[in-house]
Amino acid sequence: MFELRKLPFDANHNAVVSAKTCEYHYGKHHATYVANLNNLIKDTKFANASFYEILRNSEGGLYNNVAQVYNHDFYWDCIAKKSEMSSELKAAIEANFANFKEEFLKAATTLFGSGWAWLVFDPSSKKLEIVQTSNAKTPVSDGKVPLLVVDVWEHAYYIDNFNARPKYLETFYENINWEFVSQAYEWAQKEGLGSVEFYTKELHK
């Protein structure tokens, strides 16, 4: 049985999301995905599989739920605290993007409907990319390693910002946990998708 991870921050003192948003977004949406995941793997070939195995090999409703658990797990770490990026990550971002903030926020702002905007590492090209995914999809399914993500489902920001997605995104960007993103980049270069497997094992043993 998989469990809902603990938030990596105090819900009453987070610069991006309020305690009320956490009550619903984490306590209801995220928790429901975990519950659905557990129900959907009962009496199937995935009953004793690792979280990562399910994430990489499932489809349909099961994929939607396991991916949403992963996506939310990762999102909470990206906003756990405001911190600085490593010099290595800064150099890589400057080498790959003309204006990273502008490009990332544009991807997040223009994504139609519900979904996610990501900074990823492509193990094949060794380059950084900004990608959009709709609904539950995660870049892991395309063989890419997530480094940073912002949730642009409406339930991520509606309580605090109503329909003002750009306002939410500016707040998000100003409070990114770059220390976490930098560590994800370091491990992505060393282990590729293996770093995703390690991350999920740490949260879902």
Side-chain angles (χ1 to χ4, degrees), residues 46-177:
F46 294 110
N48 297 306
S50 71
F51 186 96
Y52 182 75
E53 289 171 332
I54 301 170
L55 182 65
R56 291 288 284 158
N57 299 299
S58 61
E59 56 188 21
L62 177 55
Y63 173 81
N64 288 337
N65 282 277
V66 70
Q68 282 292 74
V69 174
Y70 171 78
N71 293 351
H72 283 86
D73 287 342
F74 207 81
Y75 170 70
W76 301 130
D77 282 320
C78 288
I79 62 170
K81 64 180 181 179
K82 182 176 182 177
S83 60
E84 299 298 318
M85 71 174 72
S86 66
S87 57
E88 184 180 17
L89 176 62
K90 183 178 180 180
I93 286 177
E94 290 176 349
N96 284 271
F97 307 101
N99 187 324
F100 175 73
K101 178 181 179 180
E102 182 179 300
E103 293 175 50
F104 184 80
L105 292 184
K106 181 179 179 180
T109 303
T110 60
L111 190 147
F112 182 77
S114 300
W116 309 78
W118 308 77
L119 171 65
V120 302
F121 174 75
D122 185 337
S124 299
S125 67
K126 308 299 181 185
K127 292 184 177 181
L128 300 181
E129 300 175 5
I130 293 171
V131 298
Q132 299 171 320
T133 61
S134 295
N135 299 317
K137 190 176 178 183
T138 170
V140 177
S141 299
D142 296 323
K144 297 177 180 179
V145 183
L147 307 180
L148 170 69
V149 69
V150 62
D151 187 344
V152 290
W153 282 63
E154 282 192 340
H155 63 242
Y157 57 88
Y158 215 88
I159 290 175
D160 298 333
N161 299 281
F162 299 102
N163 64 332
R165 184 189 287 188
K167 179 183 176 184
Y168 156 70
L169 292 173
E170 282 289 343
T171 302
F172 168 88
Y173 196 88
E174 293 306 313
N175 293 279
I176 290 172
N177 184 6

